[in-house]
Amino acid sequence: MTVNDLYMKRACVIAFTRIGCTSPNPAVGAVIVKNGSIIGEGGTGAYGCDHAEVTAIKDAMQRGHDLSGAEIYVSLEPCSHFGKTPPCTDAIINCGISKVHVPLMDPNPVVSGSGIRKLIEAGVEVNIMHNYFQPASDLIRSFKKYILRGQPFVINKCAVTLDGKIAASSGDSRWISNEYSRLFVHKLRSKVDAVIVGSNTLVKDNPMLNIRMNDFGDDIKNSLSDCCGCMTGRDNFYLAELMKSEIKDYKDPLRVLVGIPAEITIDCNFFRDDNYLIIAGEKEYERALKTNKELKAISERLKIVTGSFDSHEDSVRFTLNALKEKGVMSALLEGGGALNGSFFNAGAIDQFMYVIAPKVLGSGIAPINGAPSERMSDSLLLRDVSTVLLGDNLLFSGYKEEYNFEMM
Amino acid sequence: MTVNDLYMKRACVIAFTRIGCTSPNPAVGAVIVKNGSIIGEGGTGAYGCDHAEVTAIKDAMQRGHDLSGAEIYVSLEPCSHFGKTPPCTDAIINCGISKVHVPLMDPNPVVSGSGIRKLIEAGVEVNIMHNYFQPASDLIRSFKKYILRGQPFVINKCAVTLDGKIAASSGDSRWISNEYSRLFVHKLRSKVDAVIVGSNTLVKDNPMLNIRMNDFGDDIKNSLSDCCGCMTGRDNFYLAELMKSEIKDYKDPLRVLVGIPAEITIDCNFFRDDNYLIIAGEKEYERALKTNKELKAISERLKIVTGSFDSHEDSVRFTLNALKEKGVMSALLEGGGALNGSFFNAGAIDQFMYVIAPKVLGSGIAPINGAPSERMSDSLLLRDVSTVLLGDNLLFSGYKEEYNFEMM
């Protein structure tokens, strides 16, 4: 590992810590080095606040450093346009930084390449670190989807038995997976803006859908950190950090309910605070209001978006648009078979993270209850597959598209 | 790795090469060392022929060596009883070998410990190599099941999608898995005595059920060998050898058909030679004879065992007994959902080897179509789990029982 690699890795680690807190901006990390020492570093702030480069520059200044002749390592091309904040390229040029190291260009068409061009034109040396293209790309997958396709990046998370069941025939599913896997899911929730469930899960499980790091002891946390050593397949930086890192800054994701069951009770966990959104069909909502007086009573203050759609796939597209409007860049789909099936049929799942428990049920409920399939060759082939053993559970991760997918 | 480890490993490798050729004897390997060099080695011969120790002793003698003072490394406790051949302990004592290294005792109650005792009583030093207990146990799992429970060891092999389907809703299943996985299955077939399929598979696929190493190029063979480096979970010696080793000596396993479909055609691949066995219910067979004239015409020379049973589970127990009578120590269950379900319900699957392809179908046919399951906690918890990536396919292996299971 060269010195450049070390600093760029540090920038990527910082970027990772910010995922989940910056949407709809990409999470970026920056490290400023002078005379062989780090003199400043930082990550992207919350939306509307400083970007990583500016955070790092301010950090260096606050520590009393003169930045002239310093080098900056950034996990993504610095922006060159005025958004909520001024361009980072200007901040870099003005403070006298003489060299910028970046692993990839910003996929945002407003930036893409122009940040680098602007730096070069101002006499700043730019070093493209191709060897960090993969890790840096993994860090901004959701931003890339959001900025290029105007939709959130959807991760379908499931715990399945070896014979592909998420629950027994009776519906009982506690517990398929082990504690490492469950901690992993709580960490994963800290990295997404929303968690999506369907009516069945809400009624059956009354889930909290929050992040509960304190449910897990240090032994579980430390063991999960150690698991990342046994990753096979593509070496996925994001996944490794997710296992390795201690999650410090996080907020509970937005709870999203797709559909509104008539039998919903307003004192369920889902309604415990305002951090939720219901997405339902107009008719379905009207029906629920008619039969459910509790619901009717709170209908004025209900956070609900209704639409009219003819199919489950339509409702998925409506959901994704509604989430996009709310600035949701990434969402964790924690559905049962029906909801997962609708998302799958709509082609709306970008990443599959399945935890496979070493258990055999022999029968039960499938993770995806999609439309009848005709041919094996029509199945969705997953890319960039990585697997990791979390204790005796196997995490299998694969994407709909390769890390270097280009869309427009 | 000590010198002892090196020689014991060699003995285990030799034992592995003999698996599939020795039933119902255990496959054992032996290495004789004198003055720091291997002077003889060998594995168990076919049933009724020399055991490993004798093969190795004869090898050393043929090469002109004097065995007095030599040491022998054997992957299993030498036998002390007269079976088809005289006791190996006598051969060892008589040729002057002064030290025997073994990793575990013979699970055969006729031997268990008495081989070692006999050696010690004759003044031969015995070194128990506990650190080879695991690999050596994995090598004799099927023998152990056979000798202690009087039944063959059953491996259920399946190729599934990530969402747990062995075929699309239409039944189409070609191809789920990649070439490495398919080569792996052909290698696996060389290590079992029988391959079991059901009526549906026979009619739908007209399978050969043989070993076709020549279907695979050297690139595929070499790549599969390299895969064993990325095993996670328990380090499974048997699995690693299966990937690594070149399979030289092998015979096609016995083809076993459970059930007899009325629409069976006698020119199907299954009947191409006599290396088959049909196990069917009496009534089912009678029905098939009535409607199928082709079958009726060859009924005299049909290799069939019929029985009377009331349930699918009964038919599984009948099948296992019939196979045991034929000296089948290990069988590969390559069934569809129905047959796998019957075996699973009967508790008759000892090892699951599932190849998980990075594909998502969204719907389709489950690998095991068992009885409705009530509770997740009733699921079968697999032991000694190992996973290996075979290209982009994941092999997941787990056992019903731990490697050190003790039965009586």
Side-chain angles (χ1 to χ4, degrees):
Chain A
M1 203 175 228
T2 66
V3 172
N4 276 351
D5 290 344
L6 269 175
Y7 294 132
M8 184 53 79
K9 192 177 173 187
R10 175 78 193 137
C12 288
V13 168
I14 294 171
F16 176 81
T17 64
R18 299 300 302 153
I19 294 178
C21 306
T22 65
S23 298
N25 279 338
V28 180
V31 171
I32 302 175
V33 175
K34 192 170 173 178
N35 300 326
S37 300
I38 294 179
I39 59 167
E41 57 179 30
T44 313
Y47 186 49
C49 301
D50 287 336
H51 289 189
E53 298 90 328
V54 174
T55 312
I57 288 170
K58 285 184 179 171
D59 180 44
M61 284 176 166
Q62 207 159 12
R63 286 151 73 173
H65 291 288
D66 167 19
L67 281 89
S68 64
E71 302 187 13
I72 190 166
Y73 296 78
V74 197
S75 65
L76 183 67
E77 179 186 14
C79 72
S80 54
H81 65 301
F82 281 86
K84 288 255 176 190
T85 58
C88 292
T89 46
D90 291 3
I92 292 171
I93 294 164
N94 292 340
C95 75
I97 285 174
S98 61
K99 189 167 181 178
V100 175
H101 304 262
V102 288
L104 84 167
M105 289 199 292
D106 191 327
N108 186 348
V110 176
V111 181
S112 203
S114 68
I116 290 173
R117 203 167 47 242
K118 204 164 165 187
L119 291 168
I120 292 172
E121 282 168 4
V124 177
E125 195 183 343
V126 175
N127 172 32
I128 310 287
M129 292 182 64
H130 296 287
N131 57 331
Y132 271 78
F133 183 55
Q134 272 194 42
S137 299
D138 281 335
L139 292 171
I140 59 151
R141 281 196 189 244
S142 54
F143 171 68
K144 202 167 166 183
K145 174 96 188 284
Y146 189 82
I147 202 79
L148 291 181
R149 294 199 183 158
Q151 285 190 339
F153 184 88
V154 177
I155 304 166
N156 181 209
K157 166 247 130 188
C158 273
V160 294
T161 61
L162 182 58
D163 56 332
K165 306 299 175 194
I166 56 170
S169 312
S170 64
D172 180 52
S173 65
R174 296 215 171 148
W175 291 105
I176 297 185
S177 56
N178 64 19
E179 277 197 293
Y180 311 112
S181 307
R182 295 206 293 277
L183 170 58
F184 180 82
V185 171
H186 282 269
K187 288 177 114 178
L188 183 58
R189 281 183 183 161
S190 76
K191 294 294 164 194
V192 295
D193 302 318
V195 174
I196 307 173
V197 294
S199 307
N200 294 344
T201 301
L202 193 89
V203 172
K204 196 169 77 62
D205 294 348
N206 187 21
M208 292 292 285
L209 303 176
N210 59 350
I211 301 163
R212 300 188 298 278
M213 296 297 178
N214 294 336
D215 282 10
F216 304 90
D218 282 344
D219 51 333
I220 300 293
K221 286 175 181 164
N222 294 336
S223 296
L224 184 62
S225 299
D226 295 343
C227 287
C228 63
C230 57
M231 187 183 298
T232 59
R234 194 165 77 78
D235 187 21
N236 187 315
F237 181 84
Y238 173 94
L239 265 187
E241 283 301 310
L242 199 49
M243 284 182 287
K244 220 186 298 181
S245 68
E246 192 187 340
I247 307 286
K248 286 173 190 158
D249 294 340
Y250 59 85
K251 55 178 180 29
D252 282 336
L254 179 72
R255 303 185 293 281
V256 178
L257 169 63
V258 177
I260 185 151
E263 64 271 42
I264 198 167
T265 51
I266 63 159
D267 58 349
C268 68
N269 290 324
F270 190 81
F271 289 124
R272 71 184 181 280
D273 62 36
D274 270 358
N275 189 28
Y276 76 88
L277 181 68
I278 301 173
I279 293 162
E282 281 160 6
K283 288 177 189 162
E284 182 186 17
Y285 182 44
E286 279 164 29
R287 260 199 309 274
L289 285 181
K290 264 182 206 154
T291 58
N292 191 329
K293 280 178 194 157
E294 270 193 340
L295 191 70
K296 174 96 182 166
I298 62 156
S299 65
E300 290 285 303
R301 58 188 169 90
L302 209 59
K303 297 182 71 181
I304 187 165
V305 183
T306 58
S308 155
F309 21 78
D310 295 329
S311 68
H312 291 301
E313 286 81 346
D314 265 358
S315 84
V316 171
R317 281 183 278 270
F318 183 84
T319 300
L320 295 180
N321 282 331
L323 293 180
K324 188 231 161 189
E325 296 302 319
K326 301 276 176 196
V328 169
M329 200 158 78
S330 58
L332 193 59
L333 175 64
E334 300 200 37
L339 190 66
N340 293 346
S342 300
F343 271 76
F344 179 73
N345 289 346
I349 301 175
D350 298 294
Q351 184 178 9
F352 294 81
M353 281 208 200
Y354 278 34
V355 167
I356 303 169
K359 296 179 178 176
V360 184
L361 262 175
S363 61
I365 295 169
I368 303 182
N369 188 8
S373 53
E374 268 305 303
R375 271 187 245 275
M376 183 54 68
S377 55
D378 293 338
S379 60
L380 177 67
L381 180 65
L382 302 182
R383 314 289 175 157
D384 292 348
V385 166
S386 307
T387 70
V388 200
L389 266 186
L390 311 177
D392 66 353
N393 286 191
L394 182 91
L395 172 69
F396 191 112
S397 160
Y399 300 88
K400 190 175 152 193
E401 285 165 296
E402 285 177 12
Y403 69 91
N404 57 351
F405 70 104
E406 286 303 336
M407 310 174 288
M408 275 299 285
Chain B
M1 203 176 229
T2 67
V3 172
N4 276 351
D5 290 342
L6 268 175
Y7 293 132
M8 184 52 79
K9 191 176 176 190
R10 175 79 193 136
C12 289
V13 168
I14 293 170
F16 176 83
T17 65
R18 299 301 302 152
I19 294 178
C21 306
T22 66
S23 299
N25 279 338
V28 179
V31 172
I32 302 174
V33 175
K34 192 171 173 177
N35 301 325
S37 298
I38 294 177
I39 61 169
E41 58 179 31
T44 314
Y47 187 50
C49 301
D50 289 336
H51 290 190
E53 299 88 328
V54 174
T55 313
I57 289 169
K58 285 184 178 171
D59 179 45
M61 286 175 163
Q62 208 161 10
R63 287 151 74 174
H65 292 288
D66 168 19
L67 280 89
S68 63
E71 303 186 14
I72 189 167
Y73 296 78
V74 197
S75 65
L76 183 67
E77 178 185 13
C79 72
S80 54
H81 66 298
F82 281 86
K84 288 258 174 183
T85 59
C88 291
T89 46
D90 292 3
I92 290 171
I93 295 162
N94 294 339
C95 75
I97 285 174
S98 60
K99 187 167 184 179
V100 175
H101 304 262
V102 287
L104 85 169
M105 289 200 292
D106 192 328
N108 187 350
V110 177
V111 180
S112 203
S114 68
I116 290 173
R117 202 165 49 242
K118 204 166 167 190
L119 290 168
I120 292 172
E121 283 166 6
V124 177
E125 194 184 342
V126 174
N127 172 32
I128 311 287
M129 292 183 63
H130 295 286
N131 56 332
Y132 271 78
F133 183 55
Q134 271 196 42
S137 299
D138 281 333
L139 292 171
I140 60 150
R141 281 197 188 242
S142 55
F143 170 69
K144 201 166 167 184
K145 173 96 189 280
Y146 189 84
I147 202 79
L148 292 181
R149 295 200 185 157
Q151 285 190 338
F153 183 88
V154 176
I155 304 166
N156 181 209
K157 166 247 128 188
C158 274
V160 294
T161 60
L162 181 59
D163 55 331
K165 306 298 175 194
I166 57 171
S169 314
S170 63
D172 179 51
S173 64
R174 297 219 169 145
W175 291 104
I176 297 185
S177 56
N178 64 19
E179 278 198 292
Y180 312 110
S181 307
R182 296 206 294 277
L183 170 59
F184 180 82
V185 171
H186 282 269
K187 288 176 114 176
L188 182 58
R189 281 183 184 162
S190 77
K191 294 293 163 194
V192 295
D193 302 319
V195 175
I196 307 173
V197 293
S199 306
N200 294 344
T201 301
L202 193 90
V203 172
K204 196 171 75 65
D205 294 349
N206 188 22
M208 293 291 285
L209 303 174
N210 60 351
I211 300 163
R212 300 187 299 278
M213 296 295 178
N214 294 334
D215 282 9
F216 303 91
D218 282 343
D219 50 334
I220 300 292
K221 286 174 181 164
N222 294 337
S223 295
L224 184 62
S225 300
D226 295 342
C227 287
C228 63
C230 55
M231 187 182 299
T232 59
R234 195 166 78 77
D235 188 20
N236 187 314
F237 181 82
Y238 173 95
L239 265 188
E241 282 302 310
L242 199 49
M243 283 183 287
K244 220 187 297 183
S245 68
E246 191 187 343
I247 308 285
K248 286 172 188 157
D249 293 341
Y250 61 85
K251 55 178 179 29
D252 283 333
L254 178 72
R255 302 184 293 280
V256 178
L257 170 64
V258 177
I260 186 152
E263 63 271 42
I264 198 167
T265 51
I266 62 160
D267 58 350
C268 68
N269 290 323
F270 189 82
F271 290 126
R272 71 184 181 278
D273 63 35
D274 271 358
N275 189 29
Y276 75 88
L277 182 67
I278 300 173
I279 293 161
E282 281 160 4
K283 287 178 189 163
E284 180 186 18
Y285 182 45
E286 279 165 27
R287 262 199 307 275
L289 285 181
K290 264 182 207 155
T291 58
N292 189 330
K293 280 177 191 159
E294 270 192 338
L295 190 71
K296 174 97 182 164
I298 62 157
S299 64
E300 290 286 302
R301 57 187 169 90
L302 210 58
K303 299 181 71 181
I304 188 164
V305 183
T306 59
S308 155
F309 21 78
D310 294 328
S311 68
H312 291 301
E313 285 80 347
D314 265 358
S315 83
V316 171
R317 284 183 276 270
F318 183 85
T319 300
L320 295 179
N321 283 331
L323 293 181
K324 187 232 162 185
E325 295 302 319
K326 300 277 174 191
V328 169
M329 199 158 77
S330 58
L332 192 59
L333 175 64
E334 301 198 36
L339 190 66
N340 293 346
S342 300
F343 272 75
F344 179 73
N345 289 345
I349 301 176
D350 298 293
Q351 185 179 10
F352 294 81
M353 282 206 199
Y354 278 34
V355 167
I356 302 169
K359 292 177 182 178
V360 184
L361 262 175
S363 62
I365 296 168
I368 303 182
N369 187 8
S373 52
E374 267 305 304
R375 272 187 245 272
M376 182 54 68
S377 55
D378 294 339
S379 60
L380 176 67
L381 181 65
L382 302 182
R383 315 287 177 159
D384 293 348
V385 166
S386 307
T387 70
V388 200
L389 266 187
L390 312 176
D392 64 355
N393 285 191
L394 182 92
L395 173 70
F396 191 113
S397 161
Y399 298 88
K400 190 176 152 190
E401 285 165 298
E402 284 177 13
Y403 68 93
N404 57 351
F405 71 105
E406 284 304 337
M407 308 174 291
M408 273 302 283

